[in-house]
Amino acid sequence: MSAPEVMFPEEQRQISSVCQRLHRDANAKAVLLIGRDGQPIAEAGEVGEIDVTSLSSLTAGNVAATGGISKILREKDFTSQFHEGEKTHVHITLVAGRAILVVLFDERSSLGLVRLRVRKATEEMARLFEQVAKKAAASTGPSILNEITDADIDKLFND
Amino acid sequence: MSFINYSSREINCKLVYYGPGLGGKTTNLQFIYAKTSPEAKGKMISLATETERTLFFDFLPLSLGEIRGFKTRFHLYTVPGQVFYDASRKLILKGVDGVVFVADSQIERMEANIESLDNLRQNLIEQGYDLDKLPFVMQYNKRDLPNIASVAELHEALNPTNVIEFEARATTGVGVFETLKAIAKAVLTELRRGSGG
């Protein structure tokens, strides 16, 4: 099993604030940041009605399938996708190969504006992910993982 | 790949149910979904054909409770079992933390089981994993059917490395939660071991 991905509170706060800024600057309905394996990381905007867990998993599956298509076509990863709906449109971008940025928007915005704002946001997010990776690599403090005991694990499965 | 969020205090892990077509992978997830309390589960998604064969994957998010103040969340996936969906199976194995192999106990499916297990091993290698080093649980499903191989025969053909194994009847739930608990426990134990704990 490979080393787990991590997220720290400071970078989480900064990534959330990039999502909020993108939501505002792109006139988007909602912004979601998802790990490549489908775990939700951050969100901004009108997400109350949305099943974020399901959307995250399906988006990650979609990105993985598109990555598979790009391999067959001997193309590098397709870095962005656009789905045009009747009312809601979806823009999907890879962030530094580590995460997936999803922007949901409607007639209050446009694809051009979303693309423009996404470019800047992904640069900032890529920097923050780099920071997380460095911090995780340098981390020498006790991790939650090595504090876990057999008894903790057994307790989870007590009926 | 597991994901630990120190901000939202969550540990996320990905489990994949693998095995030959019509072996009961989706049925395992459906039973778990039906018997789990609403607050512990998310929506179950099935990307299936019109004839209810899995096309891409089934997905079920589950919360198993807290460890040391961290919520443990498991994302359960199945792969499509049919041979020609191999490209999809490879994608679903990306980032996997633990695998359940759902074998079909019927004698006539023995070859399909062996082929699927070889396919699992090969596809994991392509993703940079070694099945022998990954948390792995074997389930012999359909034990209620008449024309089945003995557990000893299944064990010999499919489980030479002696991973933990269960007999199951996924349609009625026999062995389903035992399998889930075993793989979840193995994943958490491996996570701790990997961190040096």
Side-chain angles (χ1 to χ4, degrees), chain A residues 10-22:
Chain A
E10 174 56 23
E11 284 76 13
Q12 173 83 53
R13 197 186 54 71
Q14 293 184 50
I15 282 175
S16 294
S17 110
V18 176
C19 287
Q20 279 154 17
R21 200 176 330 127
L22 174 61

Side-chain angles (χ1 to χ4, degrees), chain B residues 85-153:
Chain B
Y85 287 132
D86 199 36
S88 304
R89 278 193 292 277
K90 287 179 192 174
L91 297 176
I92 293 153
L93 284 174
K94 278 187 180 170
V96 65
D97 293 305
V99 178
V100 171
F101 188 87
V102 181
D104 188 328
S105 295
Q106 297 177 94
I107 290 167
E108 66 266 29
R109 296 299 285 162
M110 192 60 109
E111 206 174 311
N113 288 328
I114 293 169
E115 194 182 325
S116 176
L117 188 59
D118 284 346
N119 176 258
L120 166 64
R121 193 172 280 282
Q122 190 53 44
N123 283 344
L124 283 170
I125 290 170
E126 286 183 29
Q127 306 290 338
Y129 297 102
D130 176 352
L131 181 59
D132 297 331
K133 292 182 181 153
L134 204 63
F136 180 43
V137 169
M138 179 65 69
Q139 182 189 80
Y140 305 130
N141 193 23
K142 307 197 184 184
R143 298 308 296 163
D144 52 329
L145 296 187
N147 54 334
I148 53 173
S150 69
V151 169
E153 286 167 321

Side-chain angles (χ1 to χ4, degrees), chain A residues 1 3-7 12 37 39 51 54 57 64-65 144-150 152-154 156 159, chain B residues 1-7 43 45 56 59 64 68 70 77 91 97 181 184-185 190-192 195 197:
Chain A
M1 195 153 71
E5 293 265 6
V6 292
M7 177 56 70
Q12 173 83 53
D37 296 327
Q39 314 92 342
D51 179 352
S54 298
S57 153
I144 165 71
L145 296 176
N146 44 40
E147 287 173 19
I148 294 175
T149 63
D150 282 341
D152 289 330
I153 296 175
D154 285 336
L156 262 191
D159 291 315
Chain B
M1 188 187 301
S2 51
F3 174 59
I4 301 166
N5 192 327
Y6 285 91
S7 181
K43 203 174 152 197
I45 293 172
F56 194 6
F59 168 71
L64 285 188
R68 307 240 153 191
F70 277 69
Y77 287 83
L91 297 176
D97 293 305
K181 284 176 185 181
K185 200 169 168 178
E190 176 61 23
L191 256 182
R192 184 187 59 182
S195 77

Side-chain angles (χ1 to χ4, degrees), chain A residues 78-136:
Chain A
F78 294 121
T79 48
S80 69
Q81 295 181 47
F82 172 57
H83 300 297
E84 187 171 4
E86 208 169 285
K87 288 182 186 147
T88 303
H89 318 301
V90 187
H91 187 271
I92 300 172
T93 324
L94 284 178
V95 181
R98 293 170 193 270
I100 303 161
L101 179 61
V102 181
V103 180
L104 307 178
F105 64 100
D106 56 20
E107 75 288 346
R108 290 173 289 176
S109 186
S110 68
L111 181 57
L113 179 65
V114 169
R115 272 196 182 135
L116 182 71
R117 302 301 190 207
V118 158
R119 203 173 303 145
K120 185 159 179 272
T122 50
E123 284 169 12
E124 283 180 64
M125 285 175 178
R127 265 199 306 276
L128 289 166
F129 276 111
E130 194 58 36
Q131 204 170 300
V132 171
K134 277 187 189 154
K135 207 186 250 189

